[in-house]
Amino acid sequence: MKKIPSLQVTQNNESFNVILQGTWVKESIQKLEPALSALTCKPNTHYTFDLSGISEFDTHGIMLILHYVKKFEAQQCSINKVGANESLEKLLTICEQHYPQEKIVEKKEIFLLSYLENVGKDMFQGYKTLSSFFSFTGELTHYVIAAFLKPLNIRLKATLYHIEQSGAGALPIILLTSFLIGIVIAYQGATQLEKFGANIFIVEMVTISAVRELAPLLTAIVVAGRSSSAYTAQIGVMKITDEVDAMSAMGFSPWNFLVLPRLFALILSLPLLVFFADVVSVFGGMVIASTKLDVSFVEFIDRIKQTVALKHLIIGLIKAPIFGCIIATIGCFRGFQIDSSTESVGKYTTISVVNAIFWVIAIDAIISVLLTELGL
């Protein structure tokens, strides 16, 4: 029959003798803890814990004893443990070794030093990312050249699939966005041109700004939001599920199966999307010009033939594959950066979209400045 857990306290001046008896196990803690908590401790008080009467014990009971032993020691009381048998002494030693240490109070941070430390960490992380990106683009260039030298190795079916997903799938939102942009440009321009009686110049304003700059840029931004995030998430999930490693182990190149089809799909589909965006945005401008400035569709088209050079359309279409290459490269690069945690999928998917949109806008600005300086 199990002995009922109990403790008895005897006092001799400033010395207390605590006799522990019975079963000190998990089920007994609720009864034993109030008795232990009733013990008080003053500095220089001596406690002797007599463990000889403990018949059964487990980790819960030992940790309860240690909790109050450590508590009394922190209050500058001297503690002595006696009477423990071999197995109890062994478990007591193990529990003492793994007893939670006091939490170290963090030193107050100096703002300037913390700021400089964070800047240094960000710069180093940026250097590592830039180095990885250059390595990625270099290897990608190698596989692109190899694909052109051996065209039969290009996975045509996968490329057509991604053209359908990234190109045709984006067509409705791009057409709607382009139509609204054409309306906005024409409406805002019409308000100003009407004051000076220069209604006909709405044609040049809408057509040149749309086909040369806004249609390619907005199309690329929409595709970056859709496709760059999709590429990153798809490749990232494949990394988490070890599909990429399995593909490499079976002798299949992840570059040929995952990266090149996506890259070629955007390079081929983006010029077509930009062309449709040009047509729809100009049509949106024609609608406003007809209703707001009394410039008919026929007059609008004739004016385009007379005053708008073909180079503006060509420049916009030339930008498209460049933007497609940027979006696909960044999307795939960030996908391969995803590690084994699902949290990194969301993190790098967001970073992918932000990076793709930023570099699309930055490259568009650089191209526009260069072409303007060249007189084109």
Side-chain angles (χ1 to χ4, degrees):
M1 185 175 178
K2 293 182 179 180
K3 292 183 180 180
I4 298 173
S6 64
L7 63 88
Q8 297 177 358
V9 182
T10 59
Q11 183 178 2
N12 182 16
N13 296 327
E14 294 297 322
S15 179
F16 291 86
N17 189 29
V18 182
I19 302 172
L20 310 180
Q21 295 177 331
T23 56
W24 284 66
V25 294
K26 181 180 178 182
E27 291 76 11
S28 311
I29 288 178
Q30 290 184 347
K31 298 178 182 178
L32 294 168
E33 188 170 9
L36 282 170
S37 62
L39 299 176
T40 57
C41 181
K42 297 178 181 179
N44 301 321
T45 302
H46 179 75
Y47 271 95
T48 299
F49 281 80
D50 186 355
L51 311 178
S52 59
I54 297 178
S55 57
E56 290 185 28
F57 55 88
D58 63 8
T59 308
H60 296 83
I62 298 301
M63 290 300 290
L64 179 63
I65 296 170
L66 280 178
H67 171 72
Y68 283 94
V69 168
K70 298 293 183 182
K71 179 181 176 181
F72 292 160
E73 287 178 345
Q75 296 174 351
Q76 299 180 354
C77 294
S78 61
I79 306 294
N80 186 27
K81 299 184 289 293
V82 298
N85 57 39
E86 184 178 353
S87 58
L88 177 57
E89 187 68 37
K90 190 177 295 185
L91 182 59
L92 192 62
T93 303
I94 294 172
C95 290
E96 279 187 313
Q97 290 174 350
H98 295 85
Y99 191 83
Q101 300 296 321
E102 291 186 9
K103 186 177 180 181
I104 299 174
V105 180
E106 295 183 359
K107 294 181 180 179
K108 188 177 180 180
E109 293 184 351
I110 301 174
F111 173 76
L112 180 59
L113 295 179
S114 300
Y115 175 76
L116 293 176
E117 181 183 3
N118 292 333
V119 169
K121 288 179 179 178
D122 291 341
M123 290 180 66
F124 180 71
Q125 188 62 39
Y127 166 76
K128 286 177 62 179
T129 302
L130 192 62
S131 176
S132 300
F133 182 73
F134 283 139
S135 175
F136 180 86
T137 51
E139 199 164 356
L140 177 60
T141 304
H142 164 75
Y143 280 98
V144 169
I145 294 173
F148 280 114
L149 293 177
K150 295 181 179 180
L152 295 178
N153 290 338
I154 298 175
R155 301 185 69 246
L156 184 60
K157 187 177 292 187
T159 303
L160 293 175
Y161 169 79
H162 288 296
I163 288 176
E164 179 187 0
Q165 296 296 314
S166 305
L171 195 56
I173 185 64
I174 287 174
L175 294 182
L176 177 60
T177 306
S178 301
F179 181 73
L180 295 176
I181 287 299
I183 288 177
V184 170
I185 297 171
Y187 194 84
Q188 295 299 322
T191 304
Q192 302 302 319
L193 294 174
E194 197 173 20
K195 297 177 182 179
F196 303 98
N199 296 3
I200 195 63
F201 289 107
I202 193 68
V203 177
E204 288 91 328
M205 176 182 290
V206 171
T207 307
I208 294 175
S209 60
V211 303
R212 182 175 176 126
E213 292 295 337
L214 292 178
L217 183 61
L218 291 173
T219 301
I221 290 174
V222 171
V223 171
R226 291 183 78 257
S227 301
S228 184
S229 58
Y231 290 175
T232 302
Q234 289 165 2
I235 294 175
V237 170
M238 292 182 72
K239 279 200 68 181
I240 291 175
T241 55
D242 295 327
E243 291 179 61
V244 176
D245 293 336
M247 189 180 295
S248 301
M250 290 187 292
F252 299 111
S253 171
W255 293 89
N256 292 332
F257 278 78
L258 301 178
V259 181
L260 294 186
R262 290 171 168 81
L263 177 67
F264 293 152
L266 281 191
I267 290 176
L268 293 174
S269 62
L270 214 58
L272 298 174
L273 293 175
V274 169
F275 178 77
F276 286 122
D278 291 341
V279 174
V280 173
S281 58
V282 171
F283 176 73
M286 290 170 65
V287 171
I288 297 301
S290 176
T291 56
K292 184 81 173 173
L293 299 176
D294 295 326
V295 178
S296 66
F297 284 16
V298 175
E299 290 177 316
F300 200 102
I301 295 173
D302 288 339
R303 182 73 178 179
I304 290 176
K305 293 178 181 178
Q306 295 170 10
T307 60
V308 180
L310 184 62
K311 68 177 183 179
H312 300 299
L313 176 64
I314 295 174
I315 288 171
L317 293 176
I318 289 174
K319 289 180 181 179
I322 299 174
F323 294 159
C325 182
I326 292 170
I327 295 167
T329 302
I330 291 175
C332 295
F333 168 67
R334 291 299 184 181
F336 281 108
Q337 278 192 307
I338 291 174
D339 53 31
S340 57
S341 66
T342 53
E343 182 183 355
S344 65
V345 176
K347 173 186 173 183
Y348 283 106
T349 299
T350 304
I351 293 174
S352 170
V353 174
V354 173
N355 289 163
I357 292 175
F358 170 79
W359 283 110
V360 162
I361 296 173
I363 296 299
D364 180 69
I366 293 171
I367 293 174
S368 297
V369 171
L370 290 176
L371 292 178
T372 303
E373 291 297 322
L374 294 173
L376 295 175

